[in-house]
Every structure is written in structure tokens, then in C-alpha cells.
PDB file of all heavy atoms in Angstrom:
ATOM      1  N   ILE A   1     -17.379  -7.085  23.904  1.00 98.00           N
ATOM      2  CA  ILE A   1     -17.649  -8.368  23.555  1.00 98.00           C
ATOM      3  C   ILE A   1     -16.286  -9.113  23.369  1.00 98.00           C
ATOM      4  O   ILE A   1     -15.473  -8.676  22.477  1.00 98.00           O
ATOM      5  CB  ILE A   1     -18.316  -8.437  22.131  1.00 98.00           C
ATOM      6  CG1 ILE A   1     -19.697  -7.713  22.252  1.00 98.00           C
ATOM      7  CG2 ILE A   1     -18.649 -10.029  21.840  1.00 98.00           C
ATOM      8  CD1 ILE A   1     -20.344  -7.496  20.828  1.00 98.00           C
ATOM      9  N   GLY A   2     -16.073 -10.000  24.257  1.00 98.00           N
ATOM     10  CA  GLY A   2     -14.837 -10.788  24.107  1.00 98.00           C
ATOM     11  C   GLY A   2     -15.201 -12.275  23.539  1.00 98.00           C
ATOM     12  O   GLY A   2     -15.965 -12.933  24.059  1.00 98.00           O
ATOM     13  N   ILE A   3     -14.438 -12.595  22.680  1.00 98.00           N
ATOM     14  CA  ILE A   3     -14.593 -13.945  21.974  1.00 98.00           C
ATOM     15  C   ILE A   3     -13.315 -14.827  22.387  1.00 98.00           C
ATOM     16  O   ILE A   3     -12.255 -14.588  21.847  1.00 98.00           O
ATOM     17  CB  ILE A   3     -14.670 -13.923  20.452  1.00 98.00           C
ATOM     18  CG1 ILE A   3     -15.792 -12.883  20.109  1.00 98.00           C
ATOM     19  CG2 ILE A   3     -15.016 -15.371  19.931  1.00 98.00           C
ATOM     20  CD1 ILE A   3     -17.139 -13.310  20.544  1.00 98.00           C
ATOM     21  N   ASP A   4     -13.509 -15.631  23.364  1.00 98.00           N
ATOM     22  CA  ASP A   4     -12.458 -16.382  24.038  1.00 98.00           C
ATOM     23  C   ASP A   4     -12.416 -17.804  23.143  1.00 98.00           C
ATOM     24  O   ASP A   4     -12.426 -18.859  23.646  1.00 98.00           O
ATOM     25  CB  ASP A   4     -12.639 -16.801  25.455  1.00 98.00           C
ATOM     26  CG  ASP A   4     -11.412 -17.433  26.066  1.00 98.00           C
ATOM     27  OD1 ASP A   4     -10.366 -17.188  25.490  1.00 98.00           O
ATOM     28  OD2 ASP A   4     -11.531 -18.127  27.116  1.00 98.00           O
ATOM     29  N   ILE A   5     -12.437 -17.684  21.892  1.00 97.00           N
ATOM     30  CA  ILE A   5     -12.370 -18.747  20.855  1.00 97.00           C
ATOM     31  C   ILE A   5     -11.405 -18.453  19.722  1.00 97.00           C
ATOM     32  O   ILE A   5     -11.400 -17.335  19.073  1.00 97.00           O
ATOM     33  CB  ILE A   5     -13.669 -19.038  20.246  1.00 97.00           C
ATOM     34  CG1 ILE A   5     -14.769 -19.414  21.423  1.00 97.00           C
ATOM     35  CG2 ILE A   5     -13.650 -20.178  19.263  1.00 97.00           C
ATOM     36  CD1 ILE A   5     -16.168 -19.520  20.854  1.00 97.00           C
ATOM     37  N   TYR A   6     -10.420 -19.247  19.536  1.00 96.00           N
ATOM     38  CA  TYR A   6      -9.378 -18.961  18.552  1.00 96.00           C
ATOM     39  C   TYR A   6      -9.949 -19.009  17.140  1.00 96.00           C
ATOM     40  O   TYR A   6     -10.811 -19.954  16.817  1.00 96.00           O
ATOM     41  CB  TYR A   6      -8.288 -19.914  18.643  1.00 96.00           C
ATOM     42  CG  TYR A   6      -7.413 -19.956  19.978  1.00 96.00           C
ATOM     43  CD1 TYR A   6      -7.367 -21.094  20.719  1.00 96.00           C
ATOM     44  CD2 TYR A   6      -6.825 -18.787  20.361  1.00 96.00           C
ATOM     45  CE1 TYR A   6      -6.615 -21.019  21.945  1.00 96.00           C
ATOM     46  CE2 TYR A   6      -6.156 -18.634  21.541  1.00 96.00           C
ATOM     47  CZ  TYR A   6      -5.971 -19.833  22.260  1.00 96.00           C
ATOM     48  OH  TYR A   6      -5.390 -19.828  23.596  1.00 96.00           O
ATOM     49  N   ARG A   7      -9.480 -18.026  16.344  1.00 96.00           N
ATOM     50  CA  ARG A   7      -9.902 -18.070  14.933  1.00 96.00           C
ATOM     51  C   ARG A   7      -8.734 -17.678  14.097  1.00 96.00           C
ATOM     52  O   ARG A   7      -8.748 -16.644  13.435  1.00 96.00           O
ATOM     53  CB  ARG A   7     -11.161 -17.217  14.740  1.00 96.00           C
ATOM     54  CG  ARG A   7     -11.838 -17.272  13.367  1.00 96.00           C
ATOM     55  CD  ARG A   7     -12.035 -18.768  12.900  1.00 96.00           C
ATOM     56  NE  ARG A   7     -12.748 -19.613  13.955  1.00 96.00           N
ATOM     57  CZ  ARG A   7     -13.992 -19.871  13.877  1.00 96.00           C
ATOM     58  NH1 ARG A   7     -14.731 -19.453  12.841  1.00 96.00           N
ATOM     59  NH2 ARG A   7     -14.507 -20.667  14.854  1.00 96.00           N
ATOM     60  N   ASP A   8      -7.629 -18.466  14.284  1.00 94.00           N
ATOM     61  CA  ASP A   8      -6.383 -18.162  13.358  1.00 94.00           C
ATOM     62  C   ASP A   8      -6.635 -18.533  11.942  1.00 94.00           C
ATOM     63  O   ASP A   8      -5.891 -18.019  11.052  1.00 94.00           O
ATOM     64  CB  ASP A   8      -5.296 -18.737  14.045  1.00 94.00           C
ATOM     65  CG  ASP A   8      -5.381 -20.201  14.293  1.00 94.00           C
ATOM     66  OD1 ASP A   8      -6.476 -20.669  14.842  1.00 94.00           O
ATOM     67  OD2 ASP A   8      -4.446 -21.032  14.071  1.00 94.00           O
ATOM     68  N   LEU A   9      -7.413 -19.592  11.749  1.00 94.00           N
ATOM     69  CA  LEU A   9      -7.707 -20.118  10.383  1.00 94.00           C
ATOM     70  C   LEU A   9      -9.128 -19.994  10.023  1.00 94.00           C
ATOM     71  O   LEU A   9     -10.043 -20.067  10.968  1.00 94.00           O
ATOM     72  CB  LEU A   9      -7.277 -21.608  10.355  1.00 94.00           C
ATOM     73  CG  LEU A   9      -5.775 -21.956  10.570  1.00 94.00           C
ATOM     74  CD1 LEU A   9      -5.475 -23.388  10.688  1.00 94.00           C
ATOM     75  CD2 LEU A   9      -4.859 -21.201   9.526  1.00 94.00           C
ATOM     76  N   PRO A  10      -9.502 -19.777   8.823  1.00 95.00           N
ATOM     77  CA  PRO A  10     -10.792 -19.699   8.427  1.00 95.00           C
ATOM     78  C   PRO A  10     -11.638 -20.901   8.567  1.00 95.00           C
ATOM     79  O   PRO A  10     -11.064 -22.098   8.421  1.00 95.00           O
ATOM     80  CB  PRO A  10     -10.787 -19.261   6.842  1.00 95.00           C
ATOM     81  CG  PRO A  10      -9.456 -19.647   6.440  1.00 95.00           C
ATOM     82  CD  PRO A  10      -8.607 -19.533   7.685  1.00 95.00           C
ATOM     83  N   VAL A  11     -12.872 -20.870   8.936  1.00 95.00           N
ATOM     84  CA  VAL A  11     -13.795 -22.096   9.118  1.00 95.00           C
ATOM     85  C   VAL A  11     -15.005 -21.771   8.192  1.00 95.00           C
ATOM     86  O   VAL A  11     -15.964 -21.305   8.785  1.00 95.00           O
ATOM     87  CB  VAL A  11     -14.137 -22.347  10.515  1.00 95.00           C
ATOM     88  CG1 VAL A  11     -14.939 -23.671  10.563  1.00 95.00           C
ATOM     89  CG2 VAL A  11     -13.004 -22.411  11.429  1.00 95.00           C
ATOM     90  N   PRO A  12     -14.879 -21.997   6.832  1.00 96.00           N
ATOM     91  CA  PRO A  12     -16.047 -21.662   6.007  1.00 96.00           C
ATOM     92  C   PRO A  12     -17.196 -22.611   6.298  1.00 96.00           C
ATOM     93  O   PRO A  12     -17.023 -23.612   6.954  1.00 96.00           O
ATOM     94  CB  PRO A  12     -15.363 -21.887   4.566  1.00 96.00           C
ATOM     95  CG  PRO A  12     -14.279 -22.852   4.819  1.00 96.00           C
ATOM     96  CD  PRO A  12     -13.750 -22.588   6.191  1.00 96.00           C
ATOM     97  N   PRO A  13     -18.367 -22.184   5.901  1.00 95.00           N
ATOM     98  CA  PRO A  13     -18.667 -20.946   5.167  1.00 95.00           C
ATOM     99  C   PRO A  13     -18.784 -19.691   6.011  1.00 95.00           C
ATOM    100  O   PRO A  13     -18.893 -19.763   7.151  1.00 95.00           O
ATOM    101  CB  PRO A  13     -20.072 -21.331   4.524  1.00 95.00           C
ATOM    102  CG  PRO A  13     -20.747 -22.142   5.624  1.00 95.00           C
ATOM    103  CD  PRO A  13     -19.672 -22.980   6.183  1.00 95.00           C
ATOM    104  N   GLY A  14     -18.760 -18.493   5.303  1.00 96.00           N
ATOM    105  CA  GLY A  14     -18.998 -17.257   5.909  1.00 96.00           C
ATOM    106  C   GLY A  14     -17.654 -16.565   6.293  1.00 96.00           C
ATOM    107  O   GLY A  14     -17.806 -15.577   7.122  1.00 96.00           O
ATOM    108  N   THR A  15     -16.567 -16.901   5.708  1.00 96.00           N
ATOM    109  CA  THR A  15     -15.371 -16.234   6.192  1.00 96.00           C
ATOM    110  C   THR A  15     -15.374 -14.732   5.867  1.00 96.00           C
ATOM    111  O   THR A  15     -14.929 -13.956   6.724  1.00 96.00           O
ATOM    112  CB  THR A  15     -14.101 -16.940   5.510  1.00 96.00           C
ATOM    113  OG1 THR A  15     -14.128 -18.315   5.824  1.00 96.00           O
ATOM    114  CG2 THR A  15     -12.862 -16.307   5.935  1.00 96.00           C
ATOM    115  N   GLU A  16     -15.679 -14.391   4.683  1.00 97.00           N
ATOM    116  CA  GLU A  16     -15.794 -12.931   4.276  1.00 97.00           C
ATOM    117  C   GLU A  16     -16.773 -12.239   5.157  1.00 97.00           C
ATOM    118  O   GLU A  16     -16.526 -11.086   5.617  1.00 97.00           O
ATOM    119  CB  GLU A  16     -16.011 -12.776   2.813  1.00 97.00           C
ATOM    120  CG  GLU A  16     -16.069 -11.313   2.378  1.00 97.00           C
ATOM    121  CD  GLU A  16     -16.361 -11.225   0.814  1.00 97.00           C
ATOM    122  OE1 GLU A  16     -16.228 -12.248   0.027  1.00 97.00           O
ATOM    123  OE2 GLU A  16     -16.697 -10.009   0.370  1.00 97.00           O
ATOM    124  N   GLU A  17     -17.902 -12.915   5.437  1.00 97.00           N
ATOM    125  CA  GLU A  17     -18.901 -12.354   6.278  1.00 97.00           C
ATOM    126  C   GLU A  17     -18.441 -12.051   7.724  1.00 97.00           C
ATOM    127  O   GLU A  17     -18.624 -10.951   8.289  1.00 97.00           O
ATOM    128  CB  GLU A  17     -20.197 -13.246   6.385  1.00 97.00           C
ATOM    129  CG  GLU A  17     -21.268 -12.712   7.312  1.00 97.00           C
ATOM    130  CD  GLU A  17     -22.372 -13.785   7.301  1.00 97.00           C
ATOM    131  OE1 GLU A  17     -22.349 -14.818   6.643  1.00 97.00           O
ATOM    132  OE2 GLU A  17     -23.332 -13.566   8.113  1.00 97.00           O
ATOM    133  N   LEU A  18     -17.683 -12.903   8.226  1.00 98.00           N
ATOM    134  CA  LEU A  18     -17.015 -12.710   9.550  1.00 98.00           C
ATOM    135  C   LEU A  18     -16.059 -11.628   9.536  1.00 98.00           C
ATOM    136  O   LEU A  18     -16.091 -10.764  10.428  1.00 98.00           O
ATOM    137  CB  LEU A  18     -16.404 -13.993  10.017  1.00 98.00           C
ATOM    138  CG  LEU A  18     -15.599 -14.001  11.320  1.00 98.00           C
ATOM    139  CD1 LEU A  18     -16.563 -13.486  12.462  1.00 98.00           C
ATOM    140  CD2 LEU A  18     -14.835 -15.262  11.635  1.00 98.00           C
ATOM    141  N   ASP A  19     -15.224 -11.498   8.531  1.00 97.00           N
ATOM    142  CA  ASP A  19     -14.270 -10.507   8.443  1.00 97.00           C
ATOM    143  C   ASP A  19     -15.017  -9.010   8.482  1.00 97.00           C
ATOM    144  O   ASP A  19     -14.558  -8.133   9.139  1.00 97.00           O
ATOM    145  CB  ASP A  19     -13.312 -10.555   7.254  1.00 97.00           C
ATOM    146  CG  ASP A  19     -12.345 -11.653   7.333  1.00 97.00           C
ATOM    147  OD1 ASP A  19     -12.208 -12.168   8.370  1.00 97.00           O
ATOM    148  OD2 ASP A  19     -11.781 -12.087   6.258  1.00 97.00           O
ATOM    149  N   GLN A  20     -16.030  -8.977   7.648  1.00 97.00           N
ATOM    150  CA  GLN A  20     -16.702  -7.594   7.599  1.00 97.00           C
ATOM    151  C   GLN A  20     -17.360  -7.355   8.967  1.00 97.00           C
ATOM    152  O   GLN A  20     -17.545  -6.228   9.354  1.00 97.00           O
ATOM    153  CB  GLN A  20     -17.779  -7.764   6.425  1.00 97.00           C
ATOM    154  CG  GLN A  20     -17.309  -7.857   5.143  1.00 97.00           C
ATOM    155  CD  GLN A  20     -18.264  -8.084   4.016  1.00 97.00           C
ATOM    156  OE1 GLN A  20     -19.411  -8.412   4.363  1.00 97.00           O
ATOM    157  NE2 GLN A  20     -17.932  -8.072   2.781  1.00 97.00           N
ATOM    158  N   THR A  21     -17.940  -8.447   9.619  1.00 98.00           N
ATOM    159  CA  THR A  21     -18.621  -8.227  10.903  1.00 98.00           C
ATOM    160  C   THR A  21     -17.574  -7.720  11.968  1.00 98.00           C
ATOM    161  O   THR A  21     -17.880  -6.861  12.713  1.00 98.00           O
ATOM    162  CB  THR A  21     -19.164  -9.545  11.380  1.00 98.00           C
ATOM    163  OG1 THR A  21     -20.238  -9.917  10.285  1.00 98.00           O
ATOM    164  CG2 THR A  21     -19.879  -9.317  12.694  1.00 98.00           C
ATOM    165  N   LEU A  22     -16.497  -8.358  11.913  1.00 97.00           N
ATOM    166  CA  LEU A  22     -15.428  -7.912  12.910  1.00 97.00           C
ATOM    167  C   LEU A  22     -15.048  -6.461  12.742  1.00 97.00           C
ATOM    168  O   LEU A  22     -14.912  -5.732  13.738  1.00 97.00           O
ATOM    169  CB  LEU A  22     -14.237  -8.805  12.757  1.00 97.00           C
ATOM    170  CG  LEU A  22     -14.335 -10.195  13.277  1.00 97.00           C
ATOM    171  CD1 LEU A  22     -13.025 -11.163  12.942  1.00 97.00           C
ATOM    172  CD2 LEU A  22     -14.624 -10.362  14.727  1.00 97.00           C
ATOM    173  N   LEU A  23     -14.779  -6.020  11.543  1.00 96.00           N
ATOM    174  CA  LEU A  23     -14.359  -4.735  11.229  1.00 96.00           C
ATOM    175  C   LEU A  23     -15.511  -3.723  11.507  1.00 96.00           C
ATOM    176  O   LEU A  23     -15.255  -2.509  11.784  1.00 96.00           O
ATOM    177  CB  LEU A  23     -13.948  -4.529   9.808  1.00 96.00           C
ATOM    178  CG  LEU A  23     -12.657  -5.358   9.498  1.00 96.00           C
ATOM    179  CD1 LEU A  23     -12.297  -5.193   8.064  1.00 96.00           C
ATOM    180  CD2 LEU A  23     -11.429  -4.772  10.299  1.00 96.00           C
ATOM    181  N   ALA A  24     -16.722  -4.147  11.354  1.00 97.00           N
ATOM    182  CA  ALA A  24     -17.888  -3.278  11.604  1.00 97.00           C
ATOM    183  C   ALA A  24     -18.357  -3.214  13.077  1.00 97.00           C
ATOM    184  O   ALA A  24     -19.288  -2.471  13.430  1.00 97.00           O
ATOM    185  CB  ALA A  24     -19.143  -3.772  10.648  1.00 97.00           C
ATOM    186  N   THR A  25     -17.677  -3.992  13.905  1.00 97.00           N
ATOM    187  CA  THR A  25     -18.116  -4.106  15.324  1.00 97.00           C
ATOM    188  C   THR A  25     -16.828  -3.756  16.181  1.00 97.00           C
ATOM    189  O   THR A  25     -16.015  -4.680  16.698  1.00 97.00           O
ATOM    190  CB  THR A  25     -18.678  -5.524  15.636  1.00 97.00           C
ATOM    191  OG1 THR A  25     -19.463  -5.920  14.643  1.00 97.00           O
ATOM    192  CG2 THR A  25     -19.312  -5.552  17.071  1.00 97.00           C
ATOM    193  N   PRO A  26     -16.597  -2.506  16.394  1.00 96.00           N
ATOM    194  CA  PRO A  26     -15.326  -2.152  17.148  1.00 96.00           C
ATOM    195  C   PRO A  26     -15.327  -2.553  18.601  1.00 96.00           C
ATOM    196  O   PRO A  26     -14.258  -2.517  19.218  1.00 96.00           O
ATOM    197  CB  PRO A  26     -15.290  -0.573  17.033  1.00 96.00           C
ATOM    198  CG  PRO A  26     -16.719  -0.299  16.738  1.00 96.00           C
ATOM    199  CD  PRO A  26     -17.328  -1.304  16.070  1.00 96.00           C
ATOM    200  N   ARG A  27     -16.424  -2.997  19.198  1.00 98.00           N
ATOM    201  CA  ARG A  27     -16.468  -3.387  20.469  1.00 98.00           C
ATOM    202  C   ARG A  27     -16.261  -4.787  20.673  1.00 98.00           C
ATOM    203  O   ARG A  27     -16.255  -5.377  21.806  1.00 98.00           O
ATOM    204  CB  ARG A  27     -17.876  -3.077  21.205  1.00 98.00           C
ATOM    205  CG  ARG A  27     -18.118  -1.510  21.349  1.00 98.00           C
ATOM    206  CD  ARG A  27     -19.326  -1.275  22.045  1.00 98.00           C
ATOM    207  NE  ARG A  27     -19.527   0.182  22.266  1.00 98.00           N
ATOM    208  CZ  ARG A  27     -19.075   0.906  23.273  1.00 98.00           C
ATOM    209  NH1 ARG A  27     -18.430   0.160  24.254  1.00 98.00           N
ATOM    210  NH2 ARG A  27     -19.174   2.195  23.206  1.00 98.00           N
ATOM    211  N   VAL A  28     -15.926  -5.618  19.576  1.00 98.00           N
ATOM    212  CA  VAL A  28     -15.524  -6.999  19.764  1.00 98.00           C
ATOM    213  C   VAL A  28     -14.067  -7.082  19.954  1.00 98.00           C
ATOM    214  O   VAL A  28     -13.285  -6.446  19.244  1.00 98.00           O
ATOM    215  CB  VAL A  28     -16.042  -7.824  18.495  1.00 98.00           C
ATOM    216  CG1 VAL A  28     -15.349  -7.444  17.288  1.00 98.00           C
ATOM    217  CG2 VAL A  28     -15.968  -9.238  18.838  1.00 98.00           C
ATOM    218  N   VAL A  29     -13.539  -8.064  20.774  1.00 98.00           N
ATOM    219  CA  VAL A  29     -12.227  -8.360  20.986  1.00 98.00           C
ATOM    220  C   VAL A  29     -11.896  -9.811  20.754  1.00 98.00           C
ATOM    221  O   VAL A  29     -12.586 -10.598  21.526  1.00 98.00           O
ATOM    222  CB  VAL A  29     -11.658  -7.987  22.406  1.00 98.00           C
ATOM    223  CG1 VAL A  29     -10.174  -8.295  22.503  1.00 98.00           C
ATOM    224  CG2 VAL A  29     -11.886  -6.505  22.637  1.00 98.00           C
ATOM    225  N   MET A  30     -11.127 -10.219  19.882  1.00 98.00           N
ATOM    226  CA  MET A  30     -10.739 -11.631  19.594  1.00 98.00           C
ATOM    227  C   MET A  30      -9.389 -11.983  20.297  1.00 98.00           C
ATOM    228  O   MET A  30      -8.649 -11.088  20.511  1.00 98.00           O
ATOM    229  CB  MET A  30     -10.612 -11.829  18.110  1.00 98.00           C
ATOM    230  CG  MET A  30     -11.926 -11.598  17.291  1.00 98.00           C
ATOM    231  SD  MET A  30     -13.183 -12.739  17.562  1.00 98.00           S
ATOM    232  CE  MET A  30     -12.571 -14.257  16.845  1.00 98.00           C
ATOM    233  N   VAL A  31      -9.356 -13.211  20.622  1.00 97.00           N
ATOM    234  CA  VAL A  31      -8.170 -13.620  21.318  1.00 97.00           C
ATOM    235  C   VAL A  31      -7.154 -14.261  20.405  1.00 97.00           C
ATOM    236  O   VAL A  31      -7.292 -14.669  19.341  1.00 97.00           O
ATOM    237  CB  VAL A  31      -8.559 -14.723  22.393  1.00 97.00           C
ATOM    238  CG1 VAL A  31      -9.362 -14.140  23.501  1.00 97.00           C
ATOM    239  CG2 VAL A  31      -9.053 -15.917  21.712  1.00 97.00           C
ATOM    240  N   LYS A  32      -5.854 -14.030  20.992  1.00 95.00           N
ATOM    241  CA  LYS A  32      -4.700 -14.838  20.459  1.00 95.00           C
ATOM    242  C   LYS A  32      -3.896 -15.411  21.564  1.00 95.00           C
ATOM    243  O   LYS A  32      -4.241 -15.052  22.823  1.00 95.00           O
ATOM    244  CB  LYS A  32      -3.820 -13.806  19.649  1.00 95.00           C
ATOM    245  CG  LYS A  32      -3.082 -12.847  20.665  1.00 95.00           C
ATOM    246  CD  LYS A  32      -2.005 -12.027  19.847  1.00 95.00           C
ATOM    247  CE  LYS A  32      -1.304 -11.104  20.664  1.00 95.00           C
ATOM    248  NZ  LYS A  32      -0.215 -10.215  19.979  1.00 95.00           N
ATOM    249  N   GLN A  33      -3.015 -16.243  21.350  1.00 94.00           N
ATOM    250  CA  GLN A  33      -2.259 -16.869  22.437  1.00 94.00           C
ATOM    251  C   GLN A  33      -0.749 -16.556  22.154  1.00 94.00           C
ATOM    252  O   GLN A  33      -0.290 -16.723  21.092  1.00 94.00           O
ATOM    253  CB  GLN A  33      -2.427 -18.400  22.457  1.00 94.00           C
ATOM    254  CG  GLN A  33      -1.657 -19.000  23.658  1.00 94.00           C
ATOM    255  CD  GLN A  33      -1.790 -20.561  23.708  1.00 94.00           C
ATOM    256  OE1 GLN A  33      -1.224 -21.164  22.827  1.00 94.00           O
ATOM    257  NE2 GLN A  33      -2.520 -21.040  24.582  1.00 94.00           N
ATOM    258  N   MET A  34      -0.181 -15.961  23.239  1.00 90.00           N
ATOM    259  CA  MET A  34       1.266 -15.540  23.042  1.00 90.00           C
ATOM    260  C   MET A  34       2.150 -16.743  23.029  1.00 90.00           C
ATOM    261  O   MET A  34       3.173 -16.732  22.256  1.00 90.00           O
ATOM    262  CB  MET A  34       1.630 -14.639  24.259  1.00 90.00           C
ATOM    263  CG  MET A  34       0.867 -13.284  24.296  1.00 90.00           C
ATOM    264  SD  MET A  34       1.317 -12.193  23.008  1.00 90.00           S
ATOM    265  CE  MET A  34       2.922 -11.674  23.716  1.00 90.00           C
ATOM    266  N   GLY A  35       1.850 -17.764  23.782  1.00 76.00           N
ATOM    267  CA  GLY A  35       2.698 -18.978  23.969  1.00 76.00           C
ATOM    268  C   GLY A  35       3.904 -18.684  24.576  1.00 76.00           C
ATOM    269  O   GLY A  35       4.105 -17.803  25.517  1.00 76.00           O
ATOM    270  N   GLY A  36       4.877 -19.526  24.386  1.00 70.00           N
ATOM    271  CA  GLY A  36       6.158 -19.567  25.058  1.00 70.00           C
ATOM    272  C   GLY A  36       6.403 -20.867  25.821  1.00 70.00           C
ATOM    273  O   GLY A  36       5.470 -21.591  26.035  1.00 70.00           O
ATOM    274  N   GLY A  37       7.701 -21.195  25.925  1.00 66.00           N
ATOM    275  CA  GLY A  37       8.056 -22.505  26.479  1.00 66.00           C
ATOM    276  C   GLY A  37       7.519 -23.576  25.556  1.00 66.00           C
ATOM    277  O   GLY A  37       7.900 -23.580  24.307  1.00 66.00           O
ATOM    278  N   VAL A  38       6.725 -24.538  26.008  1.00 67.00           N
ATOM    279  CA  VAL A  38       6.272 -25.679  25.085  1.00 67.00           C
ATOM    280  C   VAL A  38       5.132 -25.293  24.299  1.00 67.00           C
ATOM    281  O   VAL A  38       4.637 -26.022  23.438  1.00 67.00           O
ATOM    282  CB  VAL A  38       6.017 -26.946  25.970  1.00 67.00           C
ATOM    283  CG1 VAL A  38       7.294 -27.378  26.709  1.00 67.00           C
ATOM    284  CG2 VAL A  38       4.932 -26.630  27.004  1.00 67.00           C
ATOM    285  N   LEU A  39       4.550 -24.037  24.657  1.00 71.00           N
ATOM    286  CA  LEU A  39       3.237 -23.678  23.935  1.00 71.00           C
ATOM    287  C   LEU A  39       3.683 -22.834  22.689  1.00 71.00           C
ATOM    288  O   LEU A  39       4.339 -21.892  22.820  1.00 71.00           O
ATOM    289  CB  LEU A  39       2.361 -22.882  24.895  1.00 71.00           C
ATOM    290  CG  LEU A  39       1.744 -23.721  26.026  1.00 71.00           C
ATOM    291  CD1 LEU A  39       1.001 -22.823  26.901  1.00 71.00           C
ATOM    292  CD2 LEU A  39       0.817 -24.816  25.511  1.00 71.00           C
ATOM    293  N   GLN A  40       3.044 -23.147  21.603  1.00 79.00           N
ATOM    294  CA  GLN A  40       3.265 -22.316  20.410  1.00 79.00           C
ATOM    295  C   GLN A  40       2.103 -21.259  20.409  1.00 79.00           C
ATOM    296  O   GLN A  40       1.060 -21.551  20.868  1.00 79.00           O
ATOM    297  CB  GLN A  40       3.108 -23.180  19.166  1.00 79.00           C
ATOM    298  CG  GLN A  40       4.304 -24.121  18.898  1.00 79.00           C
ATOM    299  CD  GLN A  40       4.216 -24.713  17.620  1.00 79.00           C
ATOM    300  OE1 GLN A  40       3.120 -24.764  16.897  1.00 79.00           O
ATOM    301  NE2 GLN A  40       5.336 -25.499  17.201  1.00 79.00           N
ATOM    302  N   GLY A  41       2.351 -20.041  19.875  1.00 86.00           N
ATOM    303  CA  GLY A  41       1.421 -19.015  19.916  1.00 86.00           C
ATOM    304  C   GLY A  41       0.351 -19.309  18.874  1.00 86.00           C
ATOM    305  O   GLY A  41       0.431 -20.090  17.909  1.00 86.00           O
ATOM    306  N   VAL A  42      -0.898 -18.722  19.130  1.00 93.00           N
ATOM    307  CA  VAL A  42      -2.002 -18.808  18.072  1.00 93.00           C
ATOM    308  C   VAL A  42      -2.316 -17.377  17.757  1.00 93.00           C
ATOM    309  O   VAL A  42      -2.797 -16.684  18.619  1.00 93.00           O
ATOM    310  CB  VAL A  42      -3.256 -19.450  18.744  1.00 93.00           C
ATOM    311  CG1 VAL A  42      -4.424 -19.567  17.728  1.00 93.00           C
ATOM    312  CG2 VAL A  42      -2.823 -20.930  19.245  1.00 93.00           C
ATOM    313  N   PRO A  43      -2.147 -16.994  16.559  1.00 93.00           N
ATOM    314  CA  PRO A  43      -2.512 -15.711  16.175  1.00 93.00           C
ATOM    315  C   PRO A  43      -3.954 -15.319  16.107  1.00 93.00           C
ATOM    316  O   PRO A  43      -4.808 -16.147  16.030  1.00 93.00           O
ATOM    317  CB  PRO A  43      -1.937 -15.448  14.824  1.00 93.00           C
ATOM    318  CG  PRO A  43      -1.933 -16.823  14.196  1.00 93.00           C
ATOM    319  CD  PRO A  43      -1.673 -17.823  15.425  1.00 93.00           C
ATOM    320  N   ALA A  44      -4.327 -14.082  16.074  1.00 94.00           N
ATOM    321  CA  ALA A  44      -5.580 -13.567  16.054  1.00 94.00           C
ATOM    322  C   ALA A  44      -6.143 -13.630  14.506  1.00 94.00           C
ATOM    323  O   ALA A  44      -5.232 -13.800  13.624  1.00 94.00           O
ATOM    324  CB  ALA A  44      -5.749 -12.184  16.525  1.00 94.00           C
TER     325      ALA A  44
END
């Protein structure tokens, strides 16, 4: 499962629920942006 949507900041409600779901689902991959040049990175 690839989630090509940034989630560097919480978007409540359900932030704790999301954290638990992510840790309980090892087949999910969340994205980050490395950045560089004029682009700033976006953490996972």
C-alpha cells in the first residue's frame, strides 16, 4: 500500500488512530519529499 499523500503534520481528528494504524500495517509505505534546489523537503 503506497500513500502518495504527504502527512508531515497531523490533521485531526484521529491523529493517534492513524499512528496506531500505520504501525499495525507493515505493508503501508508513506511518502516523503527529499527536496533539493528550490524545493524544501517534506518529512514522513
Side-chain angles (χ1 to χ4, degrees):
I1 305 167
I3 307 297
D4 188 24
I5 299 172
Y6 296 123
R7 191 45 51 101
D8 53 318
L9 298 173
V11 184
T15 301
E16 184 177 347
E17 179 183 352
L18 175 60
D19 288 347
Q20 293 173 351
T21 300
L22 290 173
L23 293 174
T25 313
R27 291 184 177 272
V28 68
V29 181
M30 298 291 290
V31 293
K32 71 174 182 178
Q33 185 180 71
M34 297 287 289
V38 298
L39 294 177
Q40 293 186 347
V42 179

